[in-house]
Amino acid sequence: MSEPPARRLPRLLLAALRDEGLDVDALARAAGLASLEGFLAPDAADRFFALALASVGDPAFGLRLGASLRPELFDVIGFAAMSRRTYGEALALLARYKRMVTGDRLELARTPTEARLRFRAAPLAPPALAIKIEAELAFLVTFGRRLGAAPALAPRRVSFEHEAPPHAAACEAFFRCPLAFAAGRNELVLAPADLDLPLVSGNAELAPFFEDRADGLLAEADASAPLEARVRAALAGALRGDLPPLEDVAQKLALSPRTLQRRLHAEGTSYQRLVDEVREGLARRHVREGRLGATEIAFLLGFTNPNSFYRAFRRWTGTTPEAFRARGERAATPRLGRAGAAPA
């Protein structure tokens, strides 16, 4: 698994938050950020993103955001996608560069009978996670409807990981197809022919320019990512039943173990602390999702036995996995003010 690069916050999101009446600069300060310009470390971007979405106060915000399309606020990746020849080519490009913007994953698979576009969101506390997922899937459909000049475009079906929201009827009206909530995945299923829709914005001359610039930004972002974030990503990718030793992670990052330890110390952390924090984050996510039992989670996270995992989980959360899952995890985020905005 490659290390997550530093990220730029999408201008489209920042503009939408301002339209909601939120003080974006105050949100940045609350998230511990001096500025929203340029690249942000992944954890800093995630803090701002979670705080901002939780502060909106409208669970339908994601749907409204995804249904809007403002090309003038696109970044270079958006322009690169717009310049592609077809909707399918644009989706493939967005999937390739997605991690540079949000750290999420977008996967496109095409068979003779259907095309599946799966969105794997980075961990985020509810309700921000549901808002993010709905915004992403709605945007992908809106992109095809408007830039593919296909206003009647409708997926065959849409699946969401989260439970049905209060605005489920509005979701159904937007997507114009059967919806499945609490489905264990976030996915659009399209007809193969949908991917062949020509884009009205396609430009064969500009496409290479935008893609070269996007590649340059990706390389720049990778180089600027703090070592702590790169170690977290390496650990999250390696925790598959065994606890990776420091030597293995150092080799993956092209560093000596001594250099890795020294540089982490300079950033105010340690390898063991990062192991513990990554384990905690993954444990919370797996328990909240409910697809794995405690014994399976313990094995996945490299614990020698379930009892060790139970002790660690109680240290992290103050309760057992069963009680944690039963009560659900509530996002404790301050509201920073919102002017009443009518749904689009």
Side-chain angles (χ1 to χ4, degrees):
M1 177 178 175
S2 58
E3 300 81 17
R7 305 170 196 157
R8 292 181 185 272
L9 292 172
R11 289 193 296 162
L12 187 63
L13 171 65
L14 297 178
L17 292 172
R18 292 188 178 99
D19 290 345
E20 292 293 299
L22 295 178
D23 186 335
V24 172
D25 293 329
L27 283 167
R29 290 192 296 272
L33 304 178
S35 171
L36 295 176
E37 298 299 322
F39 288 111
L40 302 176
D43 58 339
D46 287 343
R47 284 199 307 274
F48 174 84
F49 195 74
L51 181 61
L53 293 188
S55 298
V56 168
D58 178 9
F61 173 69
L63 183 66
R64 293 193 288 109
L65 175 61
S68 67
L69 192 70
R70 299 168 64 178
E72 72 274 13
L73 295 178
F74 277 3
D75 52 25
V76 67
I77 299 172
F79 286 121
M82 285 177 61
S83 65
R84 299 304 299 172
R85 185 178 60 89
T86 67
Y87 181 41
E89 289 181 5
L91 292 177
L93 185 143
L94 290 172
R96 176 184 174 195
Y97 290 115
K98 187 67 183 172
R99 70 190 182 93
M100 185 164 76
V101 180
T102 64
D104 305 314
R105 293 291 184 270
L106 196 60
E107 300 167 357
L108 177 62
R110 182 173 183 170
T111 71
T113 57
E114 63 184 17
R116 291 177 175 268
L117 194 61
R118 181 165 294 186
F119 177 57
R120 300 184 186 274
L124 196 63
L129 182 59
I131 292 175
K132 181 182 190 179
I133 291 167
E134 290 176 16
E136 181 70 24
L137 297 188
F139 170 79
L140 295 171
V141 172
T142 301
F143 192 99
R145 287 176 178 170
R146 301 212 184 152
L147 297 182
L153 175 69
R156 289 179 173 174
R157 57 188 180 277
V158 180
S159 301
F160 299 94
E161 288 182 339
H162 55 272
E163 300 287 339
H167 56 282
C171 291
E172 187 172 4
F174 171 81
F175 287 106
R176 307 171 196 163
C177 70
L179 307 183
F181 292 96
R185 62 189 178 281
N186 306 304
E187 184 179 71
L188 298 173
V189 178
L190 303 163
D194 292 336
L195 301 188
D196 297 327
L197 284 170
L199 296 185
V200 296
S201 55
N203 189 314
E205 294 182 357
L206 288 178
F209 168 79
F210 285 125
E211 289 188 44
D212 286 347
R213 178 60 181 145
D215 284 340
L217 285 174
L218 186 58
E220 179 184 345
D222 280 329
S224 66
L227 180 60
E228 175 182 338
R230 299 168 63 201
V231 172
R232 287 180 185 275
L235 286 168
L239 279 168
R240 295 293 185 272
D242 293 309
L243 190 62
L246 180 145
E247 291 76 14
D248 289 358
V249 173
Q251 183 179 27
K252 180 178 178 63
L253 300 180
L255 297 171
S256 71
R258 185 185 297 272
T259 298
L260 176 61
Q261 289 176 308
R262 176 172 50 79
R263 289 180 56 183
L264 286 177
H265 179 74
E267 291 186 11
T269 188
S270 68
Y271 182 77
Q272 191 54 50
R273 181 185 299 175
L274 293 181
V275 168
D276 193 61
E277 291 174 356
V278 169
R279 273 176 152 180
E280 177 185 354
L282 291 173
R284 285 175 178 266
R285 187 185 74 185
H286 288 312
V287 170
R288 188 169 57 239
E289 291 175 345
R291 291 197 290 267
L292 299 175
T295 300
E296 295 168 290
I297 297 172
F299 170 78
L300 188 64
L301 299 185
F303 285 93
T304 55
N305 57 67
N307 288 336
S308 297
F309 169 67
Y310 267 80
R311 287 193 296 271
F313 197 87
R314 183 176 287 278
R315 172 169 56 84
W316 293 327
T317 67
T319 189
T320 65
E322 292 80 4
F324 183 90
R325 181 178 296 161
R327 77 174 188 227
E329 188 173 37
R330 298 289 182 265
T333 51
R335 283 183 53 81
L336 299 182
R338 172 181 180 266

